[in-house]
Amino acid sequence: MDFDSPEVKKCARALKEIDFELAYLALLTCEGLKPLSRWEKPLDGDGLELLQQIGLLTKQIRRTVKTGKEVVETIFSRSPAYIQLYEQHFGNSPIDKSAQTQRFEGFLFGYPPCCVNQYIRRPYAANNLAAQEQKILFHWACRNCKITPALLTACKNVYNLLNSC
Ligand SMILES: [Zn+2]
């Protein structure tokens, strides 16, 4: 992704207008820091088009919640294989938070497995990140994580770029 390109900046700004977090997820996914991302809030055709304009593949996936109500998730990725994996595994299925699901989601979303395992054992256990650092990650880091610091540096760059555009 060429962040100097006026087209890319324009898309990033438009995505930010929809939701900062959506724009941030989109850029992290474009940069390959997340193989696939999921957006759980409603997103219309304009939003989908913006994601596609910055080079992402998108797909809307129907799921159900416990009450039987249908929800639509939007997933996006640079990789058709990841879109397919998500769709095969979760398409038309009820939303669940089992350990097995969390492990598979962690794999798709690019979370370090050590952090996923710690989260399954005990969610939000104290780690050694500053609140400001934890805030720009989408996974909860395990204590003394060997992967998160490197990931954090890369995420910070994207976060700052997005803030300045
Ligand atoms: Zn970790």
Side-chain angles (χ1 to χ4, degrees):
M1 186 183 55
D2 175 14
F3 215 79
D4 290 327
S5 138
E7 287 78 29
V8 169
K9 274 191 184 162
K10 206 173 139 210
C11 284
R13 275 197 292 265
L15 284 166
K16 250 174 35 172
E17 270 174 39
I18 300 174
D19 196 308
F20 182 89
E21 196 171 296
L22 174 66
Y24 182 40
L25 273 176
L27 294 196
L28 290 175
T29 312
C30 272
E31 286 293 271
L33 290 166
K34 289 169 71 57
L36 179 139
S37 293
R38 173 173 66 202
W39 186 248
E40 296 174 25
K41 295 180 195 163
L43 195 64
D44 63 14
D46 292 345
L48 291 175
E49 206 170 299
L50 286 168
L51 293 173
Q52 290 154 10
Q53 275 170 18
I54 56 167
L56 293 166
L57 303 165
T58 64
K59 189 115 200 180
Q60 294 200 295
I61 306 287
R62 292 176 187 287
R63 308 283 303 268
T64 49
V65 289
K66 272 205 185 90
T67 57
K69 192 177 158 255
E70 191 182 82
V71 291
V72 176
E73 301 172 337
T74 302
I75 55 168
F76 43 94
S77 173
R78 295 192 309 188
S79 151
Y82 272 81
I83 296 276
Q84 206 183 356
L85 276 176
Y86 189 96
E87 194 180 14
Q88 280 168 354
H89 203 86
F90 295 120
N92 297 308
S93 75
I95 288 172
D96 83 277
K97 301 278 178 213
S98 66
Q100 192 194 336
T101 292
Q102 289 187 56
R103 288 206 176 87
F104 192 56
E105 287 181 348
F107 163 75
L108 295 172
F109 298 161
Y111 300 162
C114 47
C115 304
V116 173
N117 284 328
Q118 166 61 52
Y119 187 86
I120 290 167
R121 281 197 302 273
R122 202 172 134 233
Y124 307 112
N127 60 28
N128 50 350
L129 291 191
Q132 211 38 39
E133 294 178 318
Q134 179 59 66
K135 210 186 82 181
I136 68 166
L137 294 172
F138 288 91
H139 71 275
W140 188 265
C142 67
R143 185 187 280 269
N144 302 319
C145 188
K146 300 292 180 282
I147 301 171
T148 297
L151 199 54
L152 192 57
T153 305
C155 290
K156 263 183 200 159
N157 288 337
V158 173
Y159 189 83
N160 292 338
L161 272 175
L162 185 61
N163 261 319
S164 66
C165 88

mmCIF file with all atom_site columns, all heavy atoms in Angstrom, residues 10 18 29 40 48 62 74 85 91 101-102 111 119 123 136 138 140 147 165:
data_model
loop_
_atom_site.group_PDB
_atom_site.id
_atom_site.type_symbol
_atom_site.label_atom_id
_atom_site.label_alt_id
_atom_site.label_comp_id
_atom_site.label_asym_id
_atom_site.label_entity_id
_atom_site.label_seq_id
_atom_site.pdbx_PDB_ins_code
_atom_site.Cartn_x
_atom_site.Cartn_y
_atom_site.Cartn_z
_atom_site.occupancy
_atom_site.B_iso_or_equiv
_atom_site.pdbx_formal_charge
_atom_site.auth_seq_id
_atom_site.auth_comp_id
_atom_site.auth_asym_id
_atom_site.auth_atom_id
_atom_site.pdbx_PDB_model_num
ATOM 1   N N   . LYS A 1 10  ? -7.187  9.429   0.243  1.00 0.00 ? 10  LYS A N   1
ATOM 2   C CA  . LYS A 1 10  ? -8.596  9.798   0.122  1.00 0.00 ? 10  LYS A CA  1
ATOM 3   C C   . LYS A 1 10  ? -9.487  8.675   0.675  1.00 0.00 ? 10  LYS A C   1
ATOM 4   O O   . LYS A 1 10  ? -10.438 8.930   1.413  1.00 0.00 ? 10  LYS A O   1
ATOM 5   C CB  . LYS A 1 10  ? -8.923  10.064  -1.356 1.00 0.00 ? 10  LYS A CB  1
ATOM 6   C CG  . LYS A 1 10  ? -10.081 11.001  -1.565 1.00 0.00 ? 10  LYS A CG  1
ATOM 7   C CD  . LYS A 1 10  ? -10.243 11.345  -3.043 1.00 0.00 ? 10  LYS A CD  1
ATOM 8   C CE  . LYS A 1 10  ? -11.714 11.354  -3.388 1.00 0.00 ? 10  LYS A CE  1
ATOM 9   N NZ  . LYS A 1 10  ? -11.987 10.988  -4.782 1.00 0.00 ? 10  LYS A NZ  1
ATOM 10  N N   . ILE A 1 18  ? -16.325 7.046   8.340  1.00 0.00 ? 18  ILE A N   1
ATOM 11  C CA  . ILE A 1 18  ? -17.300 6.015   8.753  1.00 0.00 ? 18  ILE A CA  1
ATOM 12  C C   . ILE A 1 18  ? -16.994 5.606   10.192 1.00 0.00 ? 18  ILE A C   1
ATOM 13  O O   . ILE A 1 18  ? -17.863 5.617   11.051 1.00 0.00 ? 18  ILE A O   1
ATOM 14  C CB  . ILE A 1 18  ? -17.253 4.779   7.820  1.00 0.00 ? 18  ILE A CB  1
ATOM 15  C CG1 . ILE A 1 18  ? -17.581 5.186   6.379  1.00 0.00 ? 18  ILE A CG1 1
ATOM 16  C CG2 . ILE A 1 18  ? -18.214 3.693   8.314  1.00 0.00 ? 18  ILE A CG2 1
ATOM 17  C CD1 . ILE A 1 18  ? -17.429 4.069   5.365  1.00 0.00 ? 18  ILE A CD1 1
ATOM 18  N N   . THR A 1 29  ? -4.774  -4.526  7.560  1.00 0.00 ? 29  THR A N   1
ATOM 19  C CA  . THR A 1 29  ? -5.005  -5.675  6.692  1.00 0.00 ? 29  THR A CA  1
ATOM 20  C C   . THR A 1 29  ? -4.307  -5.474  5.345  1.00 0.00 ? 29  THR A C   1
ATOM 21  O O   . THR A 1 29  ? -3.699  -6.392  4.809  1.00 0.00 ? 29  THR A O   1
ATOM 22  C CB  . THR A 1 29  ? -6.519  -5.922  6.514  1.00 0.00 ? 29  THR A CB  1
ATOM 23  O OG1 . THR A 1 29  ? -7.135  -5.887  7.811  1.00 0.00 ? 29  THR A OG1 1
ATOM 24  C CG2 . THR A 1 29  ? -6.804  -7.256  5.854  1.00 0.00 ? 29  THR A CG2 1
ATOM 25  N N   . GLU A 1 40  ? -18.048 -5.949  12.595 1.00 0.00 ? 40  GLU A N   1
ATOM 26  C CA  . GLU A 1 40  ? -19.324 -6.501  13.061 1.00 0.00 ? 40  GLU A CA  1
ATOM 27  C C   . GLU A 1 40  ? -20.466 -5.497  13.010 1.00 0.00 ? 40  GLU A C   1
ATOM 28  O O   . GLU A 1 40  ? -21.626 -5.873  13.125 1.00 0.00 ? 40  GLU A O   1
ATOM 29  C CB  . GLU A 1 40  ? -19.156 -7.061  14.476 1.00 0.00 ? 40  GLU A CB  1
ATOM 30  C CG  . GLU A 1 40  ? -18.174 -8.244  14.479 1.00 0.00 ? 40  GLU A CG  1
ATOM 31  C CD  . GLU A 1 40  ? -17.845 -8.767  15.871 1.00 0.00 ? 40  GLU A CD  1
ATOM 32  O OE1 . GLU A 1 40  ? -18.664 -8.585  16.772 1.00 0.00 ? 40  GLU A OE1 1
ATOM 33  O OE2 . GLU A 1 40  ? -16.756 -9.354  16.025 1.00 0.00 ? 40  GLU A OE2 1
ATOM 34  N N   . LEU A 1 48  ? -18.042 -0.788  1.586  1.00 0.00 ? 48  LEU A N   1
ATOM 35  C CA  . LEU A 1 48  ? -17.432 -1.949  0.917  1.00 0.00 ? 48  LEU A CA  1
ATOM 36  C C   . LEU A 1 48  ? -16.561 -1.499  -0.251 1.00 0.00 ? 48  LEU A C   1
ATOM 37  O O   . LEU A 1 48  ? -15.465 -2.002  -0.463 1.00 0.00 ? 48  LEU A O   1
ATOM 38  C CB  . LEU A 1 48  ? -18.521 -2.908  0.410  1.00 0.00 ? 48  LEU A CB  1
ATOM 39  C CG  . LEU A 1 48  ? -19.328 -3.665  1.466  1.00 0.00 ? 48  LEU A CG  1
ATOM 40  C CD1 . LEU A 1 48  ? -20.438 -4.482  0.819  1.00 0.00 ? 48  LEU A CD1 1
ATOM 41  C CD2 . LEU A 1 48  ? -18.424 -4.568  2.290  1.00 0.00 ? 48  LEU A CD2 1
ATOM 42  N N   . ARG A 1 62  ? -23.349 -14.186 6.710  1.00 0.00 ? 62  ARG A N   1
ATOM 43  C CA  . ARG A 1 62  ? -24.518 -14.259 7.589  1.00 0.00 ? 62  ARG A CA  1
ATOM 44  C C   . ARG A 1 62  ? -24.246 -15.207 8.752  1.00 0.00 ? 62  ARG A C   1
ATOM 45  O O   . ARG A 1 62  ? -23.755 -16.309 8.545  1.00 0.00 ? 62  ARG A O   1
ATOM 46  C CB  . ARG A 1 62  ? -25.740 -14.765 6.809  1.00 0.00 ? 62  ARG A CB  1
ATOM 47  C CG  . ARG A 1 62  ? -26.182 -13.775 5.792  1.00 0.00 ? 62  ARG A CG  1
ATOM 48  C CD  . ARG A 1 62  ? -27.325 -14.270 4.932  1.00 0.00 ? 62  ARG A CD  1
ATOM 49  N NE  . ARG A 1 62  ? -27.548 -13.293 3.877  1.00 0.00 ? 62  ARG A NE  1
ATOM 50  C CZ  . ARG A 1 62  ? -28.114 -12.096 4.062  1.00 0.00 ? 62  ARG A CZ  1
ATOM 51  N NH1 . ARG A 1 62  ? -28.581 -11.772 5.251  1.00 0.00 ? 62  ARG A NH1 1
ATOM 52  N NH2 . ARG A 1 62  ? -28.243 -11.253 3.060  1.00 0.00 ? 62  ARG A NH2 1
ATOM 53  N N   . THR A 1 74  ? -18.940 -8.260  8.075  1.00 0.00 ? 74  THR A N   1
ATOM 54  C CA  . THR A 1 74  ? -18.145 -7.969  6.882  1.00 0.00 ? 74  THR A CA  1
ATOM 55  C C   . THR A 1 74  ? -16.717 -8.421  7.150  1.00 0.00 ? 74  THR A C   1
ATOM 56  O O   . THR A 1 74  ? -16.131 -8.042  8.166  1.00 0.00 ? 74  THR A O   1
ATOM 57  C CB  . THR A 1 74  ? -18.153 -6.464  6.573  1.00 0.00 ? 74  THR A CB  1
ATOM 58  O OG1 . THR A 1 74  ? -19.512 -6.043  6.390  1.00 0.00 ? 74  THR A OG1 1
ATOM 59  C CG2 . THR A 1 74  ? -17.362 -6.162  5.301  1.00 0.00 ? 74  THR A CG2 1
ATOM 60  N N   . LEU A 1 85  ? -11.539 -19.534 3.832  1.00 0.00 ? 85  LEU A N   1
ATOM 61  C CA  . LEU A 1 85  ? -11.443 -20.260 5.103  1.00 0.00 ? 85  LEU A CA  1
ATOM 62  C C   . LEU A 1 85  ? -12.505 -19.764 6.083  1.00 0.00 ? 85  LEU A C   1
ATOM 63  O O   . LEU A 1 85  ? -13.174 -20.549 6.747  1.00 0.00 ? 85  LEU A O   1
ATOM 64  C CB  . LEU A 1 85  ? -10.066 -20.044 5.744  1.00 0.00 ? 85  LEU A CB  1
ATOM 65  C CG  . LEU A 1 85  ? -8.917  -20.937 5.287  1.00 0.00 ? 85  LEU A CG  1
ATOM 66  C CD1 . LEU A 1 85  ? -7.620  -20.503 5.965  1.00 0.00 ? 85  LEU A CD1 1
ATOM 67  C CD2 . LEU A 1 85  ? -9.224  -22.394 5.616  1.00 0.00 ? 85  LEU A CD2 1
ATOM 68  N N   . GLY A 1 91  ? -19.580 -19.344 7.880  1.00 0.00 ? 91  GLY A N   1
ATOM 69  C CA  . GLY A 1 91  ? -20.738 -18.913 7.108  1.00 0.00 ? 91  GLY A CA  1
ATOM 70  C C   . GLY A 1 91  ? -22.019 -19.602 7.567  1.00 0.00 ? 91  GLY A C   1
ATOM 71  O O   . GLY A 1 91  ? -22.014 -20.821 7.758  1.00 0.00 ? 91  GLY A O   1
ATOM 72  N N   . THR A 1 101 ? -12.969 -21.892 18.592 1.00 0.00 ? 101 THR A N   1
ATOM 73  C CA  . THR A 1 101 ? -13.258 -20.735 17.728 1.00 0.00 ? 101 THR A CA  1
ATOM 74  C C   . THR A 1 101 ? -12.252 -19.621 17.957 1.00 0.00 ? 101 THR A C   1
ATOM 75  O O   . THR A 1 101 ? -11.744 -19.025 17.005 1.00 0.00 ? 101 THR A O   1
ATOM 76  C CB  . THR A 1 101 ? -14.697 -20.234 17.995 1.00 0.00 ? 101 THR A CB  1
ATOM 77  O OG1 . THR A 1 101 ? -15.602 -21.227 17.523 1.00 0.00 ? 101 THR A OG1 1
ATOM 78  C CG2 . THR A 1 101 ? -14.977 -18.918 17.286 1.00 0.00 ? 101 THR A CG2 1
ATOM 79  N N   . GLN A 1 102 ? -11.942 -19.353 19.215 1.00 0.00 ? 102 GLN A N   1
ATOM 80  C CA  . GLN A 1 102 ? -10.989 -18.272 19.508 1.00 0.00 ? 102 GLN A CA  1
ATOM 81  C C   . GLN A 1 102 ? -9.616  -18.564 18.909 1.00 0.00 ? 102 GLN A C   1
ATOM 82  O O   . GLN A 1 102 ? -8.933  -17.665 18.441 1.00 0.00 ? 102 GLN A O   1
ATOM 83  C CB  . GLN A 1 102 ? -10.871 -18.066 21.015 1.00 0.00 ? 102 GLN A CB  1
ATOM 84  C CG  . GLN A 1 102 ? -12.124 -17.428 21.601 1.00 0.00 ? 102 GLN A CG  1
ATOM 85  C CD  . GLN A 1 102 ? -11.915 -17.069 23.062 1.00 0.00 ? 102 GLN A CD  1
ATOM 86  O OE1 . GLN A 1 102 ? -11.003 -16.344 23.410 1.00 0.00 ? 102 GLN A OE1 1
ATOM 87  N NE2 . GLN A 1 102 ? -12.779 -17.591 23.915 1.00 0.00 ? 102 GLN A NE2 1
ATOM 88  N N   . TYR A 1 111 ? -3.331  -12.902 15.397 1.00 0.00 ? 111 TYR A N   1
ATOM 89  C CA  . TYR A 1 111 ? -2.975  -12.733 16.804 1.00 0.00 ? 111 TYR A CA  1
ATOM 90  C C   . TYR A 1 111 ? -1.897  -13.740 17.184 1.00 0.00 ? 111 TYR A C   1
ATOM 91  O O   . TYR A 1 111 ? -1.976  -14.901 16.773 1.00 0.00 ? 111 TYR A O   1
ATOM 92  C CB  . TYR A 1 111 ? -4.196  -12.984 17.708 1.00 0.00 ? 111 TYR A CB  1
ATOM 93  C CG  . TYR A 1 111 ? -5.378  -12.076 17.487 1.00 0.00 ? 111 TYR A CG  1
ATOM 94  C CD1 . TYR A 1 111 ? -6.634  -12.443 17.960 1.00 0.00 ? 111 TYR A CD1 1
ATOM 95  C CD2 . TYR A 1 111 ? -5.240  -10.855 16.828 1.00 0.00 ? 111 TYR A CD2 1
ATOM 96  C CE1 . TYR A 1 111 ? -7.735  -11.623 17.778 1.00 0.00 ? 111 TYR A CE1 1
ATOM 97  C CE2 . TYR A 1 111 ? -6.342  -10.034 16.640 1.00 0.00 ? 111 TYR A CE2 1
ATOM 98  C CZ  . TYR A 1 111 ? -7.591  -10.420 17.114 1.00 0.00 ? 111 TYR A CZ  1
ATOM 99  O OH  . TYR A 1 111 ? -8.679  -9.619  16.934 1.00 0.00 ? 111 TYR A OH  1
ATOM 100 N N   . TYR A 1 119 ? -5.326  -15.678 26.831 1.00 0.00 ? 119 TYR A N   1
ATOM 101 C CA  . TYR A 1 119 ? -6.662  -15.054 26.893 1.00 0.00 ? 119 TYR A CA  1
ATOM 102 C C   . TYR A 1 119 ? -7.737  -16.107 27.178 1.00 0.00 ? 119 TYR A C   1
ATOM 103 O O   . TYR A 1 119 ? -8.684  -15.863 27.917 1.00 0.00 ? 119 TYR A O   1
ATOM 104 C CB  . TYR A 1 119 ? -6.952  -14.315 25.585 1.00 0.00 ? 119 TYR A CB  1
ATOM 105 C CG  . TYR A 1 119 ? -8.223  -13.504 25.628 1.00 0.00 ? 119 TYR A CG  1
ATOM 106 C CD1 . TYR A 1 119 ? -8.223  -12.209 26.132 1.00 0.00 ? 119 TYR A CD1 1
ATOM 107 C CD2 . TYR A 1 119 ? -9.432  -14.047 25.176 1.00 0.00 ? 119 TYR A CD2 1
ATOM 108 C CE1 . TYR A 1 119 ? -9.390  -11.467 26.190 1.00 0.00 ? 119 TYR A CE1 1
ATOM 109 C CE2 . TYR A 1 119 ? -10.602 -13.309 25.231 1.00 0.00 ? 119 TYR A CE2 1
ATOM 110 C CZ  . TYR A 1 119 ? -10.586 -12.027 25.733 1.00 0.00 ? 119 TYR A CZ  1
ATOM 111 O OH  . TYR A 1 119 ? -11.745 -11.296 25.794 1.00 0.00 ? 119 TYR A OH  1
ATOM 112 N N   . PRO A 1 123 ? -8.961  -14.176 30.519 1.00 0.00 ? 123 PRO A N   1
ATOM 113 C CA  . PRO A 1 123 ? -9.061  -12.963 29.695 1.00 0.00 ? 123 PRO A CA  1
ATOM 114 C C   . PRO A 1 123 ? -8.558  -11.727 30.451 1.00 0.00 ? 123 PRO A C   1
ATOM 115 O O   . PRO A 1 123 ? -8.769  -11.617 31.654 1.00 0.00 ? 123 PRO A O   1
ATOM 116 C CB  . PRO A 1 123 ? -10.553 -12.843 29.406 1.00 0.00 ? 123 PRO A CB  1
ATOM 117 C CG  . PRO A 1 123 ? -11.179 -14.126 29.811 1.00 0.00 ? 123 PRO A CG  1
ATOM 118 C CD  . PRO A 1 123 ? -10.275 -14.772 30.804 1.00 0.00 ? 123 PRO A CD  1
ATOM 119 N N   . ILE A 1 136 ? -3.953  0.135   20.879 1.00 0.00 ? 136 ILE A N   1
ATOM 120 C CA  . ILE A 1 136 ? -3.848  0.085   19.415 1.00 0.00 ? 136 ILE A CA  1
ATOM 121 C C   . ILE A 1 136 ? -3.721  -1.346  18.882 1.00 0.00 ? 136 ILE A C   1
ATOM 122 O O   . ILE A 1 136 ? -3.535  -1.561  17.692 1.00 0.00 ? 136 ILE A O   1
ATOM 123 C CB  . ILE A 1 136 ? -2.712  0.982   18.868 1.00 0.00 ? 136 ILE A CB  1
ATOM 124 C CG1 . ILE A 1 136 ? -1.344  0.452   19.269 1.00 0.00 ? 136 ILE A CG1 1
ATOM 125 C CG2 . ILE A 1 136 ? -2.878  2.426   19.319 1.00 0.00 ? 136 ILE A CG2 1
ATOM 126 C CD1 . ILE A 1 136 ? -0.233  1.122   18.449 1.00 0.00 ? 136 ILE A CD1 1
ATOM 127 N N   . PHE A 1 138 ? -5.487  -5.334  18.613 1.00 0.00 ? 138 PHE A N   1
ATOM 128 C CA  . PHE A 1 138 ? -6.806  -5.960  18.628 1.00 0.00 ? 138 PHE A CA  1
ATOM 129 C C   . PHE A 1 138 ? -6.805  -7.247  19.443 1.00 0.00 ? 138 PHE A C   1
ATOM 130 O O   . PHE A 1 138 ? -7.836  -7.847  19.666 1.00 0.00 ? 138 PHE A O   1
ATOM 131 C CB  . PHE A 1 138 ? -7.308  -6.200  17.204 1.00 0.00 ? 138 PHE A CB  1
ATOM 132 C CG  . PHE A 1 138 ? -7.696  -4.914  16.532 1.00 0.00 ? 138 PHE A CG  1
ATOM 133 C CD1 . PHE A 1 138 ? -6.781  -4.199  15.784 1.00 0.00 ? 138 PHE A CD1 1
ATOM 134 C CD2 . PHE A 1 138 ? -8.964  -4.388  16.704 1.00 0.00 ? 138 PHE A CD2 1
ATOM 135 C CE1 . PHE A 1 138 ? -7.120  -2.988  15.191 1.00 0.00 ? 138 PHE A CE1 1
ATOM 136 C CE2 . PHE A 1 138 ? -9.323  -3.184  16.126 1.00 0.00 ? 138 PHE A CE2 1
ATOM 137 C CZ  . PHE A 1 138 ? -8.393  -2.479  15.370 1.00 0.00 ? 138 PHE A CZ  1
ATOM 138 N N   . TRP A 1 140 ? -5.375  -9.105  23.169 1.00 0.00 ? 140 TRP A N   1
ATOM 139 C CA  . TRP A 1 140 ? -4.863  -8.778  24.495 1.00 0.00 ? 140 TRP A CA  1
ATOM 140 C C   . TRP A 1 140 ? -3.523  -9.489  24.657 1.00 0.00 ? 140 TRP A C   1
ATOM 141 O O   . TRP A 1 140 ? -3.456  -10.717 24.591 1.00 0.00 ? 140 TRP A O   1
ATOM 142 C CB  . TRP A 1 140 ? -5.858  -9.214  25.578 1.00 0.00 ? 140 TRP A CB  1
ATOM 143 C CG  . TRP A 1 140 ? -5.430  -8.716  26.922 1.00 0.00 ? 140 TRP A CG  1
ATOM 144 C CD1 . TRP A 1 140 ? -4.702  -9.411  27.853 1.00 0.00 ? 140 TRP A CD1 1
ATOM 145 C CD2 . TRP A 1 140 ? -5.657  -7.415  27.474 1.00 0.00 ? 140 TRP A CD2 1
ATOM 146 N NE1 . TRP A 1 140 ? -4.455  -8.614  28.940 1.00 0.00 ? 140 TRP A NE1 1
ATOM 147 C CE2 . TRP A 1 140 ? -5.041  -7.377  28.738 1.00 0.00 ? 140 TRP A CE2 1
ATOM 148 C CE3 . TRP A 1 140 ? -6.328  -6.275  27.021 1.00 0.00 ? 140 TRP A CE3 1
ATOM 149 C CZ2 . TRP A 1 140 ? -5.069  -6.250  29.554 1.00 0.00 ? 140 TRP A CZ2 1
ATOM 150 C CZ3 . TRP A 1 140 ? -6.351  -5.156  27.829 1.00 0.00 ? 140 TRP A CZ3 1
ATOM 151 C CH2 . TRP A 1 140 ? -5.738  -5.147  29.081 1.00 0.00 ? 140 TRP A CH2 1
ATOM 152 N N   . ILE A 1 147 ? 6.268   -11.798 20.801 1.00 0.00 ? 147 ILE A N   1
ATOM 153 C CA  . ILE A 1 147 ? 5.831   -11.427 19.447 1.00 0.00 ? 147 ILE A CA  1
ATOM 154 C C   . ILE A 1 147 ? 5.236   -10.020 19.431 1.00 0.00 ? 147 ILE A C   1
ATOM 155 O O   . ILE A 1 147 ? 5.493   -9.226  18.521 1.00 0.00 ? 147 ILE A O   1
ATOM 156 C CB  . ILE A 1 147 ? 4.779   -12.441 18.916 1.00 0.00 ? 147 ILE A CB  1
ATOM 157 C CG1 . ILE A 1 147 ? 5.380   -13.850 18.891 1.00 0.00 ? 147 ILE A CG1 1
ATOM 158 C CG2 . ILE A 1 147 ? 4.287   -12.043 17.526 1.00 0.00 ? 147 ILE A CG2 1
ATOM 159 C CD1 . ILE A 1 147 ? 4.381   -14.957 18.595 1.00 0.00 ? 147 ILE A CD1 1
ATOM 160 N N   . CYS A 1 165 ? -3.481  11.548  8.401  1.00 0.00 ? 165 CYS A N   1
ATOM 161 C CA  . CYS A 1 165 ? -4.013  11.776  7.045  1.00 0.00 ? 165 CYS A CA  1
ATOM 162 C C   . CYS A 1 165 ? -5.385  12.454  7.058  1.00 0.00 ? 165 CYS A C   1
ATOM 163 O O   . CYS A 1 165 ? -6.008  12.560  8.085  1.00 0.00 ? 165 CYS A O   1
ATOM 164 C CB  . CYS A 1 165 ? -4.066  10.488  6.227  1.00 0.00 ? 165 CYS A CB  1
ATOM 165 S SG  . CYS A 1 165 ? -5.569  9.540   6.405  1.00 0.00 ? 165 CYS A SG  1
#
